[in-house]
Amino acid sequence: MAKKRNIIVGQSGGPTAVINSSLAGVYKNAIERGFDKVYGMLHGIQGLLDEQYIDLSTQIHSELDIELLKRTPSAFLGSCRYKLPEIHEDKAIYEKIFEILNKLDIYAFIYIGGNDSMDTIKKLSDYAILTGQTQKFLGVPKTIDNDLALTDHTPGFGSAAKYIGASTKEVIRDALGLTYKKNMITIMEIMGRNAGWLTGATALAKSEDCDGPDLIYLPEVPFDVEKFLAKVKDLLNKKASIVIAVSEGIKLADGRYVCELGSVGDYVDAFGHKQLQGTATYLANFLAAECGCKTRAVELSTLQRSASHMASRVDIDEAFMVGGAAVKAADEGDTGKMVVIDRVSDDPYMAATGIYDVHRIANEEKLVPREWMNKDATNVTKDFVDYIKPLIQGDYQPIMVNGMPRHLVLNMKKGRKK
Ligand code: F6P
């Protein structure tokens, strides 16, 4: 009997509004290419180590399910932040993973994730080559942070940027309505750890009907508290309502995160990342004391990565496309690679998939170039905004039931292994 050709797919790292569109792309393409089964790891490689996986055909039954999956935020299969040890440090863990893959007749292992997750693809593909195993290992890019190397942008970024731009506009409007004969400062805190792509996306709010944020602080440039205060005081003399966008990851010149000046927990994930939150609250309290006016902190937090109700059509379609492209690449014999998005043209916007060696991508961070910020690094340039604009275009109507968006959720009673 011919050996089965199965695929296993997992999701890892921080979720996005379109991460499941990539999962849908993997599933649909795998079925169309005649793969026998598509398994889903529950909570990524960490769950797989506990033999937690499902047969996706028990969850996806129709084209409507595919459409729902494309519109469902967060990781359908569950995510993880799990760092595999170096191969020489713990061979047993690799032996266990490959035992499971061989038991399931896995032809290709596909991982949807960011730079930390690509470390998993790198290590597993290295191990396969070192030990003569035949499985293919492919990465599918995903992160709202847009910090992956070699790809023009990452799926998830466009939708988060669209939500952030729109929310910034709404926050600015709200604040303007409140500032009759008195000052108010609103600080918005945006995700993105070390990369300011998302914080810069607040500049999308600037349009015919909105001035956009007054100041934008990205994490790429050290944050100077004194200069910041002077800027704010100067602005307060000129206008009643000031809206400032800050990255969750802005740091002082000595390397301390601004949020660490306030009260943050000690939580650190498997990749050594501190949990960043509280930057806006700290700065709002600081400015209230220094400037003596009303201040407000708005932390967009997980809303910015789960707002599938206003995801960008370009983003959903590209997320689907890269999922399918990873299956195609595996089918054609590629391994140890990640699919990328190449921008073919700006006007009209066109993109195509490419593929790169994952060793050039894993653990790397693509930051906002200094020339895309203004002189004193308190705003972004037109080039920055022009780069993002095509990525936020169009929308997918949510499938509404009783006035609320319907999602596809994992049915644990069906098809769970172990
Ligand atoms: O990696 C994506 C991201 O959303 C970052 O922007 C953010 O710093 C981080 O995840 C938060 O991760 P978690 O939800 O695990 O705290």
Side-chain angles (χ1 to χ4, degrees):
M1 206 170 74
K3 197 171 178 231
K4 287 242 160 37
R5 280 191 350 135
N6 299 333
I7 285 197
I8 193 159
V9 53
Q11 298 173 308
S12 162
T16 77
V18 305
I19 181 172
N20 295 321
S21 187
S22 292
L23 181 64
V26 168
Y27 183 76
K28 193 152 191 251
N29 201 280
I31 298 302
E32 284 171 2
R33 284 180 169 267
F35 282 93
D36 293 296
K37 272 189 193 302
V38 185
Y39 291 107
M41 304 169 216
L42 300 178
H43 294 280
I45 189 75
Q46 196 172 7
L48 185 67
L49 276 163
D50 289 333
E51 294 197 47
Q52 297 291 313
Y53 52 85
I54 47 144
D55 175 346
L56 274 170
S57 69
T58 63
Q59 308 291 320
I60 303 172
H61 305 287
S62 61
E63 280 296 322
L64 179 61
D65 285 347
I66 294 273
E67 288 305 312
L68 280 171
L69 193 54
K70 283 160 99 175
R71 292 160 171 83
T72 298
S74 178
F76 175 79
L77 295 168
S79 188
C80 69
R81 289 199 190 271
Y82 184 83
K83 192 174 174 66
L84 278 175
E86 296 300 329
I87 297 172
H88 65 269
E89 282 170 3
D90 187 353
K91 283 212 182 69
I93 210 166
Y94 290 87
E95 280 162 11
K96 178 155 189 207
I97 293 168
F98 279 81
E99 195 186 303
I100 299 169
L101 298 183
N102 285 321
K103 188 174 89 184
L104 294 176
D105 288 327
I106 297 301
Y107 169 83
F109 176 113
I110 295 180
Y111 218 34
I112 307 168
N115 35 24
D116 293 336
S117 314
M118 292 310 134
D119 181 70
T120 300
I121 288 293
K122 175 178 82 114
K123 286 171 176 159
L124 291 176
S125 58
D126 284 354
Y127 182 85
I129 289 165
L130 281 173
T131 56
Q133 317 249 11
T134 56
Q135 289 91 353
K136 315 292 175 218
F137 294 87
L138 271 299
V140 173
K142 168 259 21 164
T143 170
I144 60 165
D145 294 355
N146 196 37
D147 59 353
L148 277 177
L150 300 177
T151 183
D152 178 77
H153 56 277
T154 55
F157 171 63
S159 296
K162 183 175 176 121
Y163 177 82
I164 289 166
S167 303
T168 303
K169 244 184 128 167
E170 290 161 354
V171 166
I172 292 172
R173 196 110 301 276
D174 180 280
L176 278 170
L178 282 173
T179 47
Y180 180 64
K181 287 188 180 172
K182 58 180 183 189
N183 284 120
M184 179 159 117
I185 307 169
T186 309
I187 317 259
M188 297 183 66
E189 176 177 329
I190 320 291
M191 278 184 167
R193 206 177 290 285
N194 302 323
W197 298 104
L198 286 173
T199 308
T202 56
L204 290 166
K206 190 169 157 76
S207 41
E208 275 171 30
D209 53 349
C210 179
D211 289 344
D214 297 286
L215 298 168
I216 301 178
Y217 289 95
L218 310 189
E220 282 84 351
V221 174
F223 184 77
D224 184 319
V225 180
E226 290 309 314
K227 281 191 188 153
F228 169 66
L229 182 59
K231 275 253 171 215
V232 173
K233 284 189 168 162
D234 183 44
L235 276 168
L236 282 176
N237 290 326
K238 296 178 191 152
K239 56 193 296 199
S241 168
I242 300 173
V243 175
I244 303 166
V246 297
S247 162
E248 61 176 3
I250 50 170
K251 283 182 187 158
L252 306 175
D254 64 12
R256 272 176 307 157
Y257 286 107
V258 170
C259 64
E260 291 179 281
L261 303 176
S263 56
V264 280
D266 295 329
Y267 181 77
V268 175
D269 73 16
F271 290 87
H273 305 312
K274 288 184 183 164
Q275 174 152 17
L276 305 176
Q277 63 184 35
T279 308
T281 302
Y282 172 78
L283 290 175
N285 290 338
F286 169 74
L287 290 178
E290 292 289 334
C291 306
C293 67
K294 183 176 166 74
T295 64
R296 172 165 274 145
V298 180
E299 209 179 297
L300 291 188
S301 188
T302 55
L303 295 170
Q304 64 204 290
R305 66 183 190 198
S306 51
S308 60
H309 65 281
M310 72 171 303
S312 128
R313 174 172 277 271
V314 167
D315 197 22
I316 292 189
D317 287 346
E318 288 184 345
F320 189 84
M321 173 175 83
V322 290
V327 175
K328 178 171 182 277
D331 203 9
E332 290 172 356
D334 275 319
T335 188
K337 295 187 178 163
M338 188 191 85
V339 174
V340 297
I341 299 175
D342 291 327
R343 189 180 297 229
V344 177
S345 115
D346 274 312
D347 188 15
Y349 171 73
M350 284 194 281
T353 59
I355 194 154
Y356 275 103
D357 184 341
V358 78
H359 292 81
R360 297 179 58 196
I361 298 168
N363 307 313
E364 295 293 326
E365 271 180 328
K366 182 181 76 184
L367 303 180
V368 176
R370 184 64 183 84
E371 63 272 20
W372 278 7
M373 300 171 214
N374 69 353
K375 208 160 163 232
D376 62 357
T378 58
N379 214 318
V380 292
T381 63
K382 183 175 175 303
D383 283 347
F384 180 99
V385 175
D386 288 347
Y387 159 77
I388 302 184
K389 272 201 178 143
L391 315 180
I392 65 164
Q393 299 304 316
D395 42 45
Y396 260 84
Q397 277 301 309
I399 295 170
M400 303 299 278
V401 177
N402 282 334
M404 297 297 281
R406 173 60 63 93
H407 298 148
L408 190 75
V409 294
L410 198 64
N411 185 339
M412 300 304 263
K413 287 194 196 122
K414 294 191 211 160
R416 183 174 189 157
K417 301 291 172 200
K418 207 179 175 190

